[in-house]
């Protein structure tokens, strides 16, 4: 039996697809725009906020397309696109550049968008031995700024199982 969903319900979230070709047309217009302000991609974004679109049948990132068209191809296979502004949704050609992973990390630290990669060993030990027995994984994760799956992995290791 099919559920009835009221289309006028205030909490109804309806995903709308962008008109065909609109995301790429936005990228093309962004490439022609001369401004120092961020140009935020208004269409589909991934969980980290990066512009995502289909180009020639494959998923690509908007900032990568902009960087390739404005600054040429990657200099080395290790090169990554770095945002000068720190705004992941930005597709302004003046805000993106090719950089090494180390330069990109330094940029992220500089504008405060870098996520910690590891918990300190004493925190992992404390979580595994004490917290997982008295708190929900989600709450521990929020407290330490990591994902719930990270906490689950710590709990499995503490219990002697595979990480």
């Amino acid at each position: 039996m099919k559920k009835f969903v009221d289309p006028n319900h205030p909490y109804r979230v309806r995903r709308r697809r962008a008109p065909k070709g609109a995301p790429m047309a936005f990228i093309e217009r962004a490439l022609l725009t001369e401004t120092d302000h961020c140009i935020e991609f208004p269409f589909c974004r991934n969980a980290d906020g990066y512009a995502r679109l289909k180009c020639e049948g494959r998923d690509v990132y908007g900032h990568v397309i902009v960087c390739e068209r404005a600054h040429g191809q990657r200099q080395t296979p290790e090169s990554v696109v770095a945002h000068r502004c720190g705004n992941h949704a930005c597709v302004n050609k003046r805000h993106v550049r090719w950089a090494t992973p180390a330069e990109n990390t330094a940029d992220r630290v500089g504008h405060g968008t870098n996520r910690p990669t590891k918990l300190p060993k004493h925190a992992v030990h404390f979580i595994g031995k004490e917290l997982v027995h008295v708190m929900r994984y989600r709450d521990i994760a929020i407290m330490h700024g990591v994902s719930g799956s990270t906490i689950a992995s710590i709990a499995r290791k503490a219990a002697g199982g595979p990480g």
Side-chain angles (χ1 to χ4, degrees), residues 13-160:
V13 176
R14 187 171 178 199
R15 291 185 68 188
R16 293 192 177 110
R17 286 189 170 272
K20 191 170 185 160
M24 197 61 198
F26 184 87
I27 295 289
E28 296 293 344
R29 280 194 312 275
L31 283 163
L32 297 174
T33 304
E34 297 296 332
T35 182
D36 288 327
H37 298 289
C38 286
I39 302 172
E40 288 200 13
F41 190 73
F43 302 105
C44 183
R45 298 181 194 171
N46 72 2
D48 291 327
Y50 289 102
R52 205 184 88 215
L53 61 148
K54 289 250 187 227
C55 183
E56 298 170 6
R58 60 187 178 96
D59 284 332
V60 291
Y61 289 114
H63 63 286
V64 175
I65 293 172
V66 169
C67 198
E68 285 175 347
R69 297 219 181 143
H71 308 295
Q73 294 296 318
R74 296 176 195 263
Q75 291 91 356
T76 66
E78 294 82 30
S79 294
V80 295
V81 179
H83 284 88
R84 288 186 173 97
C85 58
N87 181 356
H88 295 175
C90 180
V91 290
N92 186 337
K93 64 185 175 193
R94 294 181 180 177
H95 293 191
V96 295
R97 65 183 172 84
W98 292 116
T100 65
E103 291 169 336
N104 192 29
T105 300
D107 281 354
R108 289 194 320 250
V109 169
H111 35 69
T113 56
N114 195 33
R115 289 182 286 189
T117 54
K118 288 185 178 179
L119 288 169
K121 286 188 179 188
H122 68 277
V124 172
H125 180 74
F126 179 68
I127 291 167
K129 296 295 180 195
E130 305 291 333
L131 289 184
V132 295
H133 304 295
V134 295
M135 290 178 71
R136 294 184 306 175
Y137 290 2
R138 179 180 3 162
D139 295 334
I140 299 168
I142 291 168
M143 193 167 85
H144 290 281
V146 295
S147 69
S149 61
T150 299
I151 302 301
S153 176
I154 291 169
R156 281 192 303 274
K157 287 179 185 173

